[in-house]
Amino acid sequence: MATVTGVSVADEVPGPPERSPLSADGAGTRRLGDRLFGGAAQGAGILVIALVTLVGLFLLWQAVPALARNEAGFLTSREWTVSGDHPRFGIVELLWTTVVSSLIAMAIAVPVGVAVALFITQYAPRWLAKPAANLVDLLAAVPSIIYGLWGLRTFGPKYEPVQTFLQDKLGAFPLLSKTSVSGSGTVMFIGIVLAIMVLPIVTALSREVFAQTPVAHKEGALALGATRWEMIRTAVLPFGRPGVISASMLALGRALGETIAVTIIVSTLADQTVWSWSLFNGGETFASRIANNAQEFDSPQKAGAFIAAGLVLFILTFIVNAVARIVIERRKAFSE
Amino acid sequence: MSAADTAARAPSAPSGGQSSSGRPAGGRPAEPPPALGHPARVREARDLLASVVMWAAFALALIPLVWILWTVVSKGYHLLSEGQWWTNSQKGITSRREGGGAVHAIQGTLVQGLTTALISVPIGVMTAIYLVEYGRGRLAKAVSFMVDILTGIPSIVAGLFVYAVWVTTFHFQRVGFAVCLSLVLLMIPVIVRSTEEMLKLVPNELREASYALGVPKWKTIFKIVLPTAFSGIVTGILLGLARVMGETAPLLILGPYSKSIATDLFSGYMATLPTMINQDRTESLQPAVDRVWAAALTLILLVLLLNVAGRLVARFGSVKK
Amino acid sequence: MAKRIDVSDLNVYYGAFKAVEGVTMTVEPRSVTAFIGPSGCGKSTFLRTLNRMHEVIPGGRVEGKVMLDDQDLYASGVDPVAVRRTVGMVFQRPNPFPTMSIYDNVAAGLKLNGLKGKKKLDDVVEKSLKGANLWNEVKDRLNKPGAGLSGGQQQRLCIARAIAVEPQVLLMDEPCSALDPISTLAIEDLIGELKSKYTIVIVTHNMQQAARVSDRTAFFNLAATGKPGQLVEVDDTQRIFNNPSVKATEDYISGRFG
């Protein structure tokens, strides 16, 4: 069991001796004050449920008429003609760009984020640990439009030669082949910028779980003569694995839905562009397609098509976040 | 990371470490203890390599932070040092012309941010109170789950939702208040989670002490629990405010840019710093480009100010135990 | 103002688990009654039923009767909040409100229940702090935070806070277990003084303390592991310690188990 979940240490360590926090004690009474206050609190909770439900329902309700008139396969088509009597639109290209750029971001952000979390919790000298954590958190505080601006005007030009180099040397691989897109507005580059943006998310949660590794297990490993790195591999990483997984899922959710930075950076493709699997192609994510056309929502049919795309994005992030939640819950179940 | 990982997969970890990690024994077959001398040096080298990788990862993470801040500061600071940046709007200023200020956008960002907070804070704090102090059973589980989902809602989807309600269903205009509503969706989960965490830190002994004095539960929460958690809650609110003030995506759908000062949330367009940046981001004329960077710096300063304020409140406002 | 407590056939539950079974006893007014017994025997759980604090824990409920003079605490229509104003409680670990000054801690019960008027509050605070033997130590720093006091002073502050709302009964749940010997002595002296005005029930794991401070002693025990705790016997402290009528009591007191 423990080998599957990676929380081998957690279920062997008894929790703190005190009573667990009595979440929701039974001290409420039928007094007016208690009923009003308790009712208001419960009402706020129900409002939150209602809000999320309404988001789903409203998007569905607005999307269905547009989908009904759509003459192309919504899940299979690359077309995007949303006005006129014969709307034809599909999301396959949006899906590809969204998912691939987010996966590139994960491939970079997870290892680096975990390493940074290990640095902060295990390697950094005491005086540096806290400032280091704050600095990485600062990355999360920078608004995404600034990432977009910086990516477009500053980072992009510096990255271009690297991309050209890769295309020249490795262009034989379909994933790295040359495309009609010149410049840095490629899926690959969005992935890199997204990686920087979600890095603090991976780091923050990972370092929290790493810091909770029981001292007894770390010392146990060290007492057996393990080096620090061996101690981390045998005690810290297995203990923190569920935390890293859920952190990655949360980061993935953020990357999938990131809008303005992607919108600013990515090169949109002209209609009828020849399809390419290359990561050096341009394209649009769900979010950037919606954002790029925000000023054109002038008819319910047009808006409906974009709302349908938004609905798919909502479902995608819903699934990813639900998985993250389940991983966290399972970890809780094992550590209590 | 991956290089170090591969390196350490080599079979020389101590056998004791295996059992404490709970790894399957079959994953790394039992082997004779390493001979003294050479293998020990290999292990040390791997340990050193891992240290280097960790330090390098941290340095790597700092590069974009420093680079971004340097870029924005160096390109934006000279406009901020001009007085008119803080007093004038962009009314009547074209991309070719220098001059004008950002006061319309700063004001819009502040007005929309504060309005958003005004709506989100009561809902968020009350939801957290429900989850920590009242919620039990399936409803509490459902609320908690929905807060997580809300945390993950992409901001563009929040904007689309409000558009679907506000514009296509009720046929209202795109105004500042609609932006606030979409930002509320993004701010609520931040406040719920941070408040929840703070309320859980309040020891139960304090609640019990209050009950034992014959104080009803609602008064206990209001007068004992909330004041004890106050600074932490304020920190969460400030961080949430920082997040929504830097948000752009819903504004693209709901809050078109305007060059003049606007104060009415319910009619007309209202400028904000993010939309001011977005407006001219594709410009190549130097006066406009300068203003974009200056607006970016202004936005970063605002957001950082809120972050720093939040951390200071957390550090100095917390109750001494 | 002290009142008598009559408990008859009380069962205490945590959800489906029966923690204490069939307690019938009387607590005399203006006296100190000590509850002793091995850990886990339900003495603290039972104590918390006397001011309806037990039901604060999710799933906590009781069967049976607790009479305060002629008022059944568990009768329908009785407000547990009102019960707790009549039956005060002091906890194992000192728990002054960290956001409040010494003055506000003592006045908390009255202020939170709506009492206003500075003169009246000043009087109550002074009277309560004097009653808790703390006035002389803190009278010059009433506006300092209560958390800045020593452990023993904090516990006396909590006693002052409890008696400020003028309860008729004072429940103490191992009030000295987190304190050093000198502070313990101060609290024990205080208990001796308070019993002239209040009915006092004290749970203690320290038999010498029970012998020192109490007039009557109740011994609780578990019939077996996993079984509910029960009241073995209750009698004058002298008799319990010198000539108990049940063998288990004698074994416990002479240190053969527990």
Side-chain angles (χ1 to χ4, degrees):
Chain A
M1 189 82 79
T3 50
V4 180
T5 60
V7 285
S8 57
V9 284
D11 42 2
E12 288 156 23
V13 184
E18 298 113 283
R19 228 177 327 149
S20 62
L22 36 106
S23 96
D25 59 45
T29 61
R30 268 165 288 157
R31 288 165 166 268
L32 184 64
D34 269 336
R35 271 185 299 168
L36 286 179
F37 195 73
Q42 184 168 354
I46 291 172
L47 179 65
V48 169
I49 297 184
L51 277 177
V52 179
T53 317
L54 279 180
V55 172
L57 286 181
F58 256 93
L59 294 182
L60 194 63
W61 180 43
Q62 306 270 322
V64 164
L67 286 176
R69 298 198 55 198
N70 184 13
E71 294 180 3
F74 181 62
L75 296 175
T76 52
S77 168
R78 287 177 59 209
E79 292 168 82
W80 196 266
T81 312
V82 294
S83 51
D85 291 334
H86 300 283
R88 298 180 63 82
F89 55 91
I91 56 162
V92 66
E93 194 179 305
L94 305 180
L95 191 65
W96 163 262
T97 315
T98 305
V99 171
V100 170
S101 60
S102 298
L103 289 182
I104 294 171
M106 288 299 103
I108 300 169
V110 172
V112 176
V114 169
V116 171
L118 284 176
F119 170 79
I120 290 170
T121 56
Q122 315 291 332
Y123 284 86
R126 190 183 288 267
W127 60 268
L128 183 61
K130 188 87 193 185
N134 285 341
L135 279 176
V136 177
D137 285 349
L138 261 189
L139 271 178
V142 174
S144 28
I145 190 163
I146 308 234
Y147 278 102
L149 205 56
W150 169 76
L152 178 75
R153 293 187 177 252
T154 312
F155 186 23
K158 295 273 187 291
Y159 154 85
E160 262 185 63
V162 180
Q163 178 171 306
T164 314
F165 175 82
L166 285 175
Q167 279 175 325
D168 286 348
K169 299 290 174 199
L170 301 167
F173 293 103
L175 275 179
L176 302 174
S177 60
K178 272 196 192 302
T179 63
S180 57
V181 174
S182 59
S184 60
T186 59
V187 175
M188 181 65 130
F189 185 61
I190 308 171
I192 294 171
V193 173
L194 285 176
I196 300 169
M197 296 178 72
V198 299
L199 181 76
I201 300 175
V202 179
T203 301
L205 195 56
S206 303
R207 79 169 183 251
E208 229 167 79
V209 285
F210 290 156
Q212 284 170 5
T213 312
V215 175
H217 293 80
K218 290 163 66 176
E219 288 180 347
L222 291 176
L224 288 164
T227 61
R228 175 150 60 174
W229 169 241
E230 285 160 355
M231 179 273 285
I232 288 171
R233 276 189 42 81
T234 53
V236 178
L237 284 180
F239 181 83
R241 191 180 309 144
V244 172
I245 293 173
S246 52
S248 310
M249 296 310 272
L250 293 177
L252 179 60
R254 182 62 63 85
L256 289 171
E258 174 50 42
T259 308
I260 189 67
V262 175
T263 309
I264 292 180
I265 294 170
V266 79
S267 303
T268 58
L269 298 174
D271 287 346
Q272 319 302 327
T273 312
V274 183
W275 176 252
S276 160
W277 294 102
S278 176
L279 301 181
F280 297 127
N281 202 359
E284 278 190 280
T285 65
F286 287 108
S288 77
R289 164 99 8 124
I290 298 165
N292 270 327
N293 297 283
Q295 302 308 322
E296 292 169 25
F297 294 1
D298 46 16
S299 75
Q301 177 185 312
K302 269 182 165 178
F306 291 103
I307 286 172
L311 181 66
V312 177
L313 177 59
F314 177 59
I315 294 169
L316 212 56
T317 51
F318 187 99
I319 293 170
V320 166
N321 284 295
V323 170
R325 167 92 182 187
I326 289 165
V327 174
I328 294 175
E329 286 293 316
R330 206 170 54 172
R331 174 191 161 77
K332 269 194 207 153
F334 273 97
S335 59
E336 269 168 18
Chain B
M1 168 77 197
S2 65
D5 205 5
T6 326
R9 254 174 232 291
S12 75
S15 57
Q18 280 184 23
S19 64
S20 84
S21 81
R23 278 173 181 284
R28 271 182 288 169
E31 73 223 33
L36 292 173
H38 180 62
R41 252 184 284 134
V42 171
R43 287 174 53 206
E44 268 171 28
R46 275 187 204 121
D47 191 44
L48 186 69
L49 180 64
S51 304
V52 171
V53 168
M54 303 300 166
W55 279 90
F58 175 62
L60 185 66
L62 288 190
I63 291 173
L65 180 67
V66 174
W67 193 358
I68 290 172
L69 293 180
W70 171 250
T71 305
V72 176
V73 170
S74 63
K75 297 193 177 195
Y77 82 98
H78 63 277
L79 271 189
L80 264 65
S81 58
E82 289 173 19
Q84 63 173 347
W85 181 258
W86 306 98
T87 53
N88 290 14
S89 71
Q90 288 291 312
K91 195 171 183 180
I93 309 255
T94 59
S95 298
R96 259 169 227 294
R97 261 188 64 196
E98 290 184 3
V103 72
H104 61 307
I106 297 170
Q107 187 182 324
T109 293
L110 289 177
V111 167
Q112 290 185 0
L114 294 179
T115 309
T116 303
L118 224 54
I119 304 171
S120 323
V121 169
I123 300 175
V125 171
M126 286 308 273
T127 304
I129 288 176
Y130 172 72
L131 287 175
V132 177
E133 309 286 342
Y134 287 95
R136 257 186 275 167
R138 293 170 65 172
L139 182 62
K141 269 217 159 97
V143 172
S144 188
F145 181 73
M146 288 305 185
V147 171
D148 274 351
I149 298 305
L150 213 47
T151 311
I153 281 191
S155 49
I156 189 92
V157 172
L160 267 186
F161 163 66
V162 173
Y163 182 88
V165 177
W166 190 263
V167 181
T168 49
T169 307
F170 291 111
H171 303 290
F172 297 145
Q173 295 300 308
R174 304 175 184 192
V175 293
F177 190 71
V179 172
C180 295
L181 288 181
S182 64
L183 296 180
V184 163
L185 282 176
L186 305 173
M187 192 169 181
I188 285 177
V190 181
I191 295 180
V192 175
R193 283 293 172 243
S194 60
T195 305
E196 206 185 346
E197 205 173 22
M198 291 302 138
L199 292 179
K200 281 181 178 163
L201 286 179
V202 175
N204 279 313
E205 291 151 14
L206 296 183
R207 296 184 179 88
E208 296 207 327
S210 175
Y211 298 150
L213 290 173
V215 180
K217 178 167 179 165
W218 72 275
K219 254 189 197 170
T220 300
I221 295 171
F222 213 70
K223 300 275 192 171
I224 306 289
V225 179
L226 284 181
T228 308
F230 185 73
S231 68
I233 296 173
V234 170
T235 301
I237 293 171
L238 290 175
L239 295 183
L241 199 55
R243 179 181 166 194
V244 298
M245 280 185 174
E247 198 55 77
T248 312
L251 285 73
L252 298 179
I253 305 177
L254 294 163
Y257 179 69
S258 131
K259 286 185 167 186
S260 349
I261 293 180
T263 46
D264 192 346
L265 279 170
F266 293 93
S267 77
Y269 294 169
M270 183 184 265
T272 55
L273 285 167
T275 46
M276 181 174 173
I277 299 168
N278 188 57
Q279 185 70 18
D280 284 344
R281 65 179 157 87
T282 50
E283 280 288 352
S284 51
L285 294 165
Q286 201 53 39
V289 173
D290 285 347
R291 280 195 291 267
V292 166
W293 288 111
L297 178 58
T298 313
L299 182 60
I300 283 201
L301 287 178
L302 185 65
V303 166
L304 288 192
L305 197 70
L306 285 167
N307 271 276
V308 170
R311 284 174 202 282
L312 287 182
V313 169
R315 179 169 306 172
F316 297 109
S318 64
V319 175
K320 305 282 179 294
K321 290 282 152 60
Chain C
M1 63 197 218
K3 287 194 177 179
R4 170 197 307 271
I5 305 171
D6 273 298
V7 182
S8 47
D9 215 12
L10 195 78
N11 298 322
V12 191
Y13 297 85
Y14 289 103
F17 174 70
K18 194 192 242 183
V20 180
E21 183 176 53
V23 176
T24 299
M25 71 180 291
T26 298
V27 175
E28 299 292 343
R30 290 196 176 75
S31 70
V32 178
T33 303
F35 292 176
I36 59 169
S39 55
C41 68
K43 52 192 192 299
S44 286
T45 301
F46 173 63
L47 183 81
R48 291 167 63 95
T49 63
L50 300 182
N51 68 343
R52 297 190 63 170
M53 281 295 285
H54 174 67
E55 66 203 68
V56 165
I57 296 162
R61 63 192 173 87
V62 302
E63 288 168 356
K65 250 188 187 174
V66 178
M67 303 290 291
L68 192 67
D69 280 0
D70 46 9
Q71 170 70 56
D72 183 356
L73 296 187
Y74 286 93
S76 68
V78 171
D79 183 354
V81 173
V83 168
R84 291 176 204 136
R85 277 179 209 164
T86 316
V87 184
M89 190 160 193
V90 176
F91 296 85
Q92 189 166 355
R93 270 192 290 177
N95 52 2
F97 299 128
T99 51
M100 296 185 187
S101 65
I102 293 171
Y103 181 100
D104 286 337
N105 258 289
V106 180
L110 294 173
K111 270 190 175 170
L112 292 178
N113 285 318
L115 186 95
K116 297 210 173 65
K118 180 149 180 12
K119 183 78 186 69
K120 177 91 171 66
L121 283 174
D122 285 351
D123 288 347
V124 172
V125 169
E126 181 172 347
K127 201 174 109 197
S128 309
L129 283 171
K130 279 180 174 162
N133 285 342
L134 193 60
W135 175 252
N136 286 330
E137 292 159 62
V138 301
K139 64 183 175 197
D140 301 325
R141 44 172 173 157
L142 288 176
N143 290 317
K144 295 271 157 56
L149 298 173
S150 75
Q153 288 173 324
Q154 285 190 17
Q155 192 62 300
R156 277 179 284 150
L157 178 63
C158 292
I159 294 175
R161 181 175 69 186
I163 59 180
V165 293
E166 307 199 323
Q168 275 137 12
V169 180
L170 206 51
L171 307 177
M172 298 187 169
D173 188 357
E174 303 197 20
C176 303
S177 66
L179 303 182
D180 59 272
I182 292 174
S183 307
T184 300
L185 193 64
I187 303 273
E188 286 179 6
D189 287 347
L190 177 59
I191 292 171
E193 291 170 27
L194 289 172
K195 76 172 176 184
S196 60
K197 288 167 78 179
Y198 304 97
T199 306
I200 294 179
V201 184
I202 176 170
V203 168
T204 177
H205 60 276
N206 178 334
M207 277 177 285
Q208 283 71 32
Q209 183 171 63
R212 283 194 299 265
V213 302
S214 72
D215 303 300
R216 288 169 65 79
T217 298
F219 172 60
F220 288 80
N221 200 4
L222 289 166
T225 316
K227 291 266 167 58
Q230 48 192 230
L231 174 65
V232 177
E233 65 174 317
V234 53
D235 211 328
D236 286 345
T237 301
Q238 288 290 331
R239 266 186 77 88
I240 291 279
F241 278 88
N242 294 328
N243 189 16
S245 49
V246 181
K247 175 84 166 47
T249 314
E250 192 181 343
D251 288 349
Y252 180 70
I253 288 186
S254 56
R256 244 164 265 166
F257 76 99

